[in-house]
Amino acid sequence: MLLDHLQAKLDAIRAQDLTRFTRIAETGTAPRQTVRGADGVARELTMFCSNDYLGLAAHPAVTAALVEGAQVYGGGSGASPLVSGHSRAHHDVEALLGRWFEPHIPEARAIGFCTGYMANLAVVAALGDADAEIFSETLNHASLIDGTRLAKAKVSRYAHCDVEDLRARLAASTARIKLIVTDAVFSMDGDIAPLPALLQAAEDFDAWLIVDDAHGLGVLGETGVGTLEHFRLRSERLILMGTLGKAAGLAGAFVVAHRTITDYLLQAARNYIFSTASPPAVEHALLTSLALIRGEVGAQRRASLRALQARLRAGIGALLDRHPTLTWKLADSQTPIQPLIVGGNAEVMALAAALEREGLRVPGIRPPTVPKGEARLRITLCATHTEADVDRLLAALEACA
Ligand SMILES: *Cc1c(COP(=O)(O)O)cnc(C)c1O
């Protein structure tokens, strides 16, 4: 019977300390948030877990634009983009993002999606047809992996950041179309993919490079355009997916690429064609949040973020020096994602629970999201954290060490 079958699976998950559950956030996204835990008690916690890296979700100009957008457009979009859901605001966001990426991708055009998960399924499945071979990085996000499952293309997985492994696979391939697929910033490790070397491989082997910049957009590059700006890349072979629910503080995603590619996605991407377009008010507000990213607010917040990262890394480094027998390891990351690798599942969850008793929410990440034996605290920083917030986290970690 189905219920017994599923209960047995749930019991097996629990036996491995892998049960997941949601908590109810009673207040909006911000470094301090009131959250109701599994025990039903609401507490104010300092959050080191959101991907709202620039703190734009709570920026007054973004909220005001959302209200204004709702006054102009009302609620939902009512239909998929090709029917009647594509508003003036949707069009303007795509046009703006196309201009952002023009310095990096000749003939750049953007096409919007409701979520990054959808955008990744769309681009990988639509381009990865039977004529193609996909070269997928081992630590890619689940949505890219699911895209390869939907694709008709043959799939070859190359080792993490291992350009030589990739080049050998490209050299051995006889596929007419070759697609390299990678996260730009790895979401559970915080490290940055070697995009210049990957692009060189694409050029040498007549391949295309699909880059998921969910965690780079807004954060990396002098003006927040992301990882392509960080490395100053420019090539027609670049196909970039960006999300708008992380540093942009709202929701949605886009693919930006040479116009022939986005023209094709509009004809062929099933999750673009068969899904209701995002609410126009959200798109209207995105015009404000994207302007903030590239303006003075974005520049200041990126600088704060870098200073907080340096403070946290120095503090954890000193802590590990004081406790040489600890097996914790701080991942080598230059981004706001700062994972502290602890090891066992129960161990990481006990540490996360101890921090939570101190009023600090740092999620424990376990397999299958990360490899077995590499369970970790995934600390993420936002520009709106204070130095005192970071110091409290360091003190609480010291007490647990
Ligand atoms: C969050 C994330 C996505 C999915 O984006 P959503 O807009 O949240 O659906 C895709 N790729 C990576 C690397 C991510 O971290």
Side-chain angles (χ1 to χ4, degrees):
M1 188 222 181
L2 177 66
L3 299 185
D4 298 327
H5 176 65
L6 297 184
Q7 192 58 53
K9 290 193 180 196
L10 286 170
D11 293 344
I13 292 168
R14 183 174 305 277
Q16 294 171 73
D17 295 310
L18 289 176
T19 301
R20 304 167 188 254
F21 59 91
T22 50
R23 302 144 187 271
I24 300 169
E26 302 281 4
T27 59
T29 303
R32 248 158 303 284
Q33 201 169 26
T34 300
V35 178
R36 200 172 294 279
D39 56 6
V41 179
R43 293 182 189 82
E44 190 185 83
L45 298 174
T46 299
M47 309 295 275
F48 289 96
C49 47
S50 108
N51 304 311
D52 175 31
Y53 300 120
L54 300 181
L56 293 184
H59 194 286
V62 174
T63 314
L66 201 49
V67 170
E68 186 184 81
Q71 281 160 349
V72 173
Y73 294 103
S77 68
S80 62
L82 295 173
V83 177
S84 62
H86 190 68
S87 69
R88 158 58 53 189
H90 287 85
H91 176 83
D92 288 349
V93 168
E94 289 180 351
L96 178 64
L97 288 167
R99 289 197 297 278
W100 274 31
F101 284 89
E102 184 60 43
H104 304 287
I105 306 174
E107 301 271 332
R109 293 288 186 283
I111 178 170
F113 289 86
C114 290
T115 69
Y117 191 101
M118 299 269 268
N120 276 342
L121 290 190
V123 68
V124 176
L127 303 185
D129 62 19
D131 291 325
E133 181 168 352
I134 294 170
F135 300 85
S136 180
E137 141 84 58
T138 319
L139 293 192
N140 274 347
H141 189 262
S143 56
L144 291 173
I145 296 169
D146 291 355
T148 67
R149 290 178 180 157
L150 282 175
K152 302 256 183 339
K154 180 178 168 198
V155 181
S156 170
R157 276 160 46 103
Y158 67 93
H160 181 53
C161 291
D162 187 340
V163 182
E164 283 318 305
D165 183 25
L166 169 65
R167 292 182 71 93
R169 289 167 190 275
L170 286 165
S173 171
T174 56
R176 214 154 60 75
I177 309 290
K178 303 184 184 74
L179 304 169
I180 305 164
V181 179
T182 186
D183 279 16
V185 175
F186 292 91
S187 48
M188 294 303 141
D189 293 71
D191 56 336
I192 303 176
L195 291 188
L198 296 177
L199 183 58
Q200 187 62 53
E203 269 153 17
D204 293 347
F205 294 96
D206 190 21
W208 297 75
L209 181 57
I210 299 176
V211 177
D212 172 345
D213 208 16
H215 300 282
L217 189 88
V219 171
L220 295 178
E222 215 165 302
T223 69
V225 171
T227 314
L228 300 189
E229 185 186 27
H230 171 80
F231 284 122
R232 300 173 196 277
L233 298 178
R234 177 174 172 84
S235 169
E236 162 177 288
R237 295 178 181 277
L238 290 165
I239 300 165
L240 186 121
M241 193 288 297
T243 60
L244 301 167
K246 290 174 179 160
L250 282 154
F254 62 94
V255 173
V256 62
H258 186 281
R259 61 187 306 163
T260 305
I261 295 173
T262 53
D263 282 355
Y264 179 71
L265 289 177
L266 190 132
Q267 305 303 321
R270 294 170 64 79
N271 31 23
Y272 182 80
I273 299 168
F274 297 108
S275 186
T276 301
S278 61
V282 170
E283 301 292 321
H284 182 80
L286 278 168
L287 294 169
T288 295
S289 89
L290 291 172
L292 288 171
I293 285 175
R294 293 209 84 182
E296 199 47 45
V297 169
Q300 281 168 6
R301 292 192 175 192
R302 281 186 289 280
S304 311
L305 207 41
R306 281 192 294 274
L308 292 168
Q309 270 162 232
R311 190 179 189 89
L312 178 75
R313 290 191 68 80
I316 294 182
L319 181 155
L320 296 179
D321 287 345
R322 280 193 300 276
H323 301 276
T325 54
L326 262 186
T327 55
W328 300 356
K329 190 172 150 276
L330 182 63
D332 187 16
S333 160
Q334 310 166 43
T335 67
I337 303 169
Q338 293 289 333
L340 184 61
I341 298 162
V342 170
N345 299 342
E347 203 182 340
V348 83
M349 295 323 280
L351 185 55
L355 294 176
E356 194 156 330
R357 284 192 293 276
E358 296 301 311
L360 303 162
R361 165 98 174 105
V362 189
I365 308 284
R366 296 161 288 178
T369 310
V370 295
K372 266 205 175 105
E374 293 184 29
R376 64 197 62 188
L377 289 178
R378 181 176 181 271
I379 305 167
T380 57
L381 293 169
C382 297
T384 40
H385 280 126
T386 61
E387 290 184 349
D389 291 333
V390 171
D391 293 347
R392 272 184 63 214
L393 174 59
L394 290 169
L397 285 170
E398 177 75 46
C400 295

